[in-house]
Amino acid sequence: MEKMDGVECLEKIRKGFKPLENIPLPFTEINKIRAHLGGFNITVREIRPSLSAKDWTAAFDLMIKDYIKDVKSIAAKNPAERCVPRCGIQKAARVFRCDECTVQDCNVAVECPLEDIYAKERELTNILCVPPFTLPSTITVTWMLARNLRVADISYCKTIYTGEDVHILINPTRKYHEGTYACQVRDADDDVIAEMFYFLNVTRSKAIEYSELEDAFNEVVNSEFNPEEEQEPEQPPLRTSIEDMIKHKILTSTKFCIILTIALALVIMVLTILCVHLCSHATNVEDPDDV
């Protein structure tokens, strides 16, 4: 048979595999598809060169159709997942386009929008790192916290845990637990495939505030008395001014008023007796001219 030149052969192959151009091939199966197509050259050489040009071309076309059928079968057994909106690098939905010879990902950002979580104080709070798509079997989760901040940027967050847990439990929840909790998910290739952000809103009820106030009051009332720690009150000086007495509210005491009245009466009585005695003594003294 008359041999085809290289340009004619490549053109025939391009036209023969053209039906694959409109089929998005799952990227997870691309290595298997490449390996299968890699045997095309070997199979072509197995076509008997003794065939006529017409028969050889027919066998060549039939071989291409068989390979297209095999590729479609591989793609159908493990199809690419559908892209889920919002966020995340969804490798299971990644496809290879033969017409452009490129890998195509879902047109979404790796960062997911910030979500609000509402919890009551003293209750159990469970925060789940759940992207909108199915996670691979092997992952590494890094939990971060931006206390009292509402942000959707991990640069503001501080790492608090790295491992495989996709949830955080807070028990009991307190007001100071408020803030943004972020989780970053990496796959087995150490590629970041999702970043989730949750802002925890903690509600504090009046009943809890009253209960805490009551507990504090009972703690003070029921505290043990230590006589060594008690200090004796400072005694007022014996000699004090009227101003100090008024300052210390001594003059406002009923008992003190009674004592003060009696003391003044005694002073007046003593002075009266003294005056009478002096006057009597003066009248009893003889005049020296009468002697």
Side-chain angles (χ1 to χ4, degrees):
M1 72 163 221
E2 183 179 356
K3 294 183 178 179
M4 292 185 292
D5 59 17
V7 176
E8 185 180 0
C9 183
L10 288 176
E11 181 64 19
K12 195 168 188 63
I13 291 175
R14 188 186 67 82
K15 290 182 179 180
F17 282 98
K18 192 174 181 62
L20 291 178
E21 289 185 356
N22 298 325
I23 300 177
L25 304 177
F27 190 76
T28 55
E29 302 296 317
I30 199 66
N31 291 332
K32 185 185 295 185
I33 294 173
R34 284 175 177 171
H36 183 68
L37 293 177
F40 180 76
N41 290 336
I42 299 175
T43 307
V44 169
R45 293 172 184 173
E46 293 177 354
I47 300 177
R48 290 181 298 173
S50 58
L51 294 175
S52 62
K54 182 179 180 181
D55 292 340
W56 192 95
T57 302
F60 184 80
D61 292 339
L62 181 61
M63 184 184 302
I64 291 178
K65 291 180 180 180
D66 289 340
Y67 268 86
I68 292 176
K69 183 179 179 181
D70 293 340
V71 170
K72 289 182 178 180
S73 177
I74 295 174
K77 288 181 180 179
N78 296 290
E81 295 182 1
R82 297 184 61 182
C83 288
V84 180
R86 288 207 308 164
C87 58
I89 304 300
Q90 305 169 38
K91 290 187 176 182
R94 181 177 290 174
V95 297
F96 181 84
R97 299 196 63 89
C98 296
D99 55 343
E100 300 176 357
C101 198
T102 57
V103 177
Q104 188 177 71
D105 283 309
C106 300
N107 188 23
V108 292
V110 66
E111 302 89 357
C112 297
L114 179 68
E115 299 181 24
D116 281 289
I117 296 178
Y118 297 92
K120 294 182 179 180
E121 198 170 19
R122 289 191 176 182
E123 292 186 351
L124 172 67
T125 301
N126 186 14
I127 305 177
L128 292 175
C129 183
V130 183
F133 58 91
T134 303
L135 290 173
S137 57
T138 303
I139 59 171
T140 301
V141 182
T142 300
W143 281 98
M144 290 162 280
L145 170 63
R147 194 179 300 276
N148 297 323
L149 288 178
R150 184 182 180 88
V151 293
D153 187 346
I154 61 172
S155 64
Y156 291 92
C157 303
K158 181 180 179 181
T159 300
I160 57 177
Y161 169 82
T162 299
E164 299 180 354
D165 291 337
V166 295
H167 63 88
I168 280 184
L169 292 177
I170 304 175
N171 187 28
T173 305
R174 295 292 187 181
K175 188 68 176 177
Y176 57 76
H177 287 133
E178 278 192 339
T180 299
Y181 291 80
C183 66
Q184 185 183 74
V185 183
R186 294 178 178 267
D187 61 7
D189 299 327
D190 202 33
D191 294 331
V192 178
I193 59 176
E195 291 179 356
M196 309 287 294
F197 299 90
Y198 306 93
F199 186 80
L200 178 60
N201 301 270
V202 180
T203 303
R204 190 172 193 182
S205 64
K206 291 294 183 182
I208 293 178
E209 293 181 358
Y210 293 150
S211 176
E212 291 182 350
L213 183 61
E214 183 180 359
D215 293 341
F217 176 78
N218 292 333
E219 183 179 354
V220 173
V221 172
N222 298 327
S223 61
E224 295 183 359
F225 173 71
N226 188 353
E228 295 181 357
E229 297 180 356
E230 185 184 20
Q231 297 181 353
E232 294 183 359
E234 184 179 356
Q235 297 293 334
L238 295 177
R239 295 181 179 179
T240 180
S241 64
I242 299 298
E243 180 180 355
D244 292 337
M245 294 171 66
I246 295 175
K247 181 178 179 181
H248 293 284
K249 299 182 179 180
I250 296 178
L251 294 179
T252 60
S253 172
T254 303
K255 182 178 180 181
F256 177 79
C257 291
I258 296 174
I259 294 174
L260 182 60
T261 302
I262 296 174
L264 291 175
L266 290 175
V267 171
I268 293 172
M269 183 178 66
V270 170
L271 291 175
T272 303
I273 296 173
L274 182 60
C275 291
V276 172
H277 177 72
L278 290 175
C279 292
S280 175
H281 178 72
T283 55
N284 294 329
V285 175
E286 297 181 356
D287 191 345
D289 296 332
D290 296 337
V291 178

